[in-house]
Amino acid sequence: MDENERLRHASSFGVAASAYAEHRPDYARAAVCWALDKPASGLRVLDLGAGTGKLTATLVAVGADVTAVEPDSAMLAELRSALPAVGALPGSAEAIPLPDASIDAVLAGNAMHWFDMAVAGPEIARVLVPGGILAGLWNVLDDRVDWVAGLARVSGSAAIGPRDTPTSWRAETADAHLPKTGGAARFGSPEQAEFPHGQRRTADSLVATLATRAGMLVMPEQEREARLGRIRAFLASEPETADGEFTLPMLTCVLRVRRL
């Protein structure tokens, strides 16, 4: 994906902010605690690229002192509505509106792959205390389950890409903290871990969830509706998903590094 395409995908979510808030999953609490690597109570945490606050809410629940930063105004409005007590600021990974060394940990939920780390890396390092943590979290679909593997095949990479399944997320995200063009090292060696997770869905709500993926949002409408129709037909054909609610098997996967 070239830079223009990356920016187009990264900026696509605002039009679906309310659907994103309704349908996207939260994050496994155990994954968030591992990402922080210490008790969260009183820890100053920045949720960067916070979206509608899915990760923010889990950080609040574990006792962190959270600041959320999000570039899209529609997503930020959803976050402020859902979590009015959280400090939520406009800004981006490349321009963080916080003072130097004011944050103990920076977490990014399904967002780090959108950052321009040549710019964002120094900016994240600036707001972190020495030894502070940067962690990216991704909710992935567990394609080790047969029907989920079938869903991934039918959905295609626009809806379920290589970063969205456990078979390839490690390779896809292992260097997410590094600038693509080289440059000075800002962070230490990466650690990765996976944590079981799940989301209660119906066929309709799972289709609505997949419709909020960036690749689907930028797709021409006729092609998008055809793709969603194929996904609906697949879910109707599978005994696990054809009728009523089911648990979508997922993992919350974490990349963790420390500021040098």
Side-chain angles (χ1 to χ4, degrees), residues 163-182:
R163 198 174 44 245
D164 300 322
T165 58
T167 52
S168 54
W169 84 269
R170 284 179 178 268
E172 289 289 324
T173 63
D175 62 353
H177 60 295
L178 299 175
K180 303 302 182 192
T181 54

Side-chain angles (χ1 to χ4, degrees), residues 10-11 48-51 68-76 89-94 115:
S11 62
L48 188 55
V69 168
E70 166 57 37
D72 188 278
S73 59
M75 301 284 272
L76 191 60
L89 305 172
S92 68
E94 296 77 18
F115 299 168

